[in-house]
Amino acid sequence: MTSREMVTCLGPVGYHLEALDPDPLCIARFSRWMRRIHRCPRSGADPLGYLQVVKRVVAERRIDVTASNDQ
Protein backbone atom coordinates (compact mmCIF):
# COMPACT_ATOMS: atom_id res chain seq x y z
CA MET A 1 0.00 0.00 0.00
CA THR A 2 2.95 2.33 0.52
CA SER A 3 3.80 2.24 -3.20
CA ARG A 4 0.22 3.12 -4.09
CA GLU A 5 0.30 6.05 -1.67
CA MET A 6 3.56 7.32 -3.22
CA VAL A 7 2.02 7.15 -6.69
CA THR A 8 -1.07 9.01 -5.47
CA CYS A 9 1.10 11.77 -3.97
CA LEU A 10 3.69 12.15 -6.74
CA GLY A 11 1.57 11.60 -9.86
CA PRO A 12 -0.74 14.60 -9.54
CA VAL A 13 2.18 17.02 -9.11
CA GLY A 14 3.78 15.99 -12.40
CA TYR A 15 6.32 13.25 -11.66
CA HIS A 16 6.94 10.68 -14.40
CA LEU A 17 6.36 7.38 -12.55
CA GLU A 18 7.66 3.95 -13.41
CA ALA A 19 8.00 0.98 -11.07
CA LEU A 20 9.78 -2.35 -10.79
CA ASP A 21 7.75 -5.29 -9.53
CA PRO A 22 7.85 -9.06 -9.99
CA ASP A 23 4.04 -9.22 -9.88
CA PRO A 24 2.42 -8.38 -13.25
CA LEU A 25 -0.71 -7.28 -11.36
CA CYS A 26 0.99 -5.07 -8.77
CA ILE A 27 -1.23 -2.47 -7.17
CA ALA A 28 0.64 0.48 -8.72
CA ARG A 29 -0.34 -0.75 -12.19
CA PHE A 30 -3.92 0.38 -11.61
CA SER A 31 -3.03 4.05 -11.11
CA ARG A 32 -3.64 6.52 -13.91
CA TRP A 33 -0.29 8.17 -13.09
CA MET A 34 1.85 5.06 -13.50
CA ARG A 35 3.52 5.19 -16.89
CA ARG A 36 5.23 1.81 -16.95
CA ILE A 37 5.81 -1.31 -14.84
CA HIS A 38 9.07 -3.19 -15.35
CA ARG A 39 9.13 -6.86 -14.42
CA CYS A 40 12.00 -7.91 -12.19
CA PRO A 41 13.04 -10.76 -9.91
CA ARG A 42 11.99 -10.63 -6.26
CA SER A 43 14.63 -8.63 -4.37
CA GLY A 44 14.65 -11.06 -1.44
CA ALA A 45 15.03 -14.16 -3.59
CA ASP A 46 17.50 -12.74 -6.14
CA PRO A 47 19.03 -9.47 -4.91
CA LEU A 48 21.73 -9.37 -7.58
CA GLY A 49 19.23 -10.07 -10.35
CA TYR A 50 16.98 -7.34 -8.98
CA LEU A 51 19.88 -4.87 -8.90
CA GLN A 52 20.81 -5.75 -12.50
CA VAL A 53 17.27 -4.95 -13.63
CA VAL A 54 17.32 -1.67 -11.70
CA LYS A 55 20.60 -0.65 -13.32
CA ARG A 56 19.39 -1.67 -16.80
CA VAL A 57 16.08 0.19 -16.52
CA VAL A 58 17.76 3.34 -15.15
CA ALA A 59 20.24 3.32 -18.03
CA GLU A 60 17.78 2.45 -20.82
CA ARG A 61 15.07 4.85 -19.69
CA ARG A 62 17.57 7.58 -18.75
CA ILE A 63 15.98 7.92 -15.33
CA ASP A 64 17.44 10.57 -13.05
CA VAL A 65 18.03 8.96 -9.67
CA THR A 66 19.99 11.82 -8.13
CA ALA A 67 18.75 13.52 -5.01
CA SER A 68 17.45 17.04 -5.31
CA ASN A 69 17.43 19.70 -2.61
CA ASP A 70 14.70 21.70 -4.37
CA GLN A 71 11.80 22.40 -2.06
Side-chain angles (χ1 to χ4, degrees):
M1 298 306 281
T2 301
S3 63
R4 175 66 182 185
E5 186 64 28
M6 292 297 293
V7 169
T8 302
C9 291
L10 297 174
V13 295
Y15 282 88
H16 175 101
L17 302 173
E18 299 187 22
L20 280 82
D21 201 299
D23 183 358
L25 297 176
C26 66
I27 194 165
R29 174 177 299 284
F30 301 103
S31 170
R32 63 180 159 193
W33 293 293
M34 186 57 59
R35 303 255 181 112
R36 188 165 177 188
I37 304 293
H38 303 274
R39 294 290 306 274
C40 64
R42 295 191 182 280
S43 59
D46 183 8
L48 294 178
Y50 176 82
L51 182 58
Q52 287 175 341
V53 174
V54 170
K55 290 168 62 175
R56 179 180 51 80
V57 169
V58 167
E60 287 176 0
R61 305 287 293 164
R62 297 182 180 161
I63 296 172
D64 181 4
V65 294
T66 58
S68 174
N69 291 329
D70 297 339
Q71 294 182 351

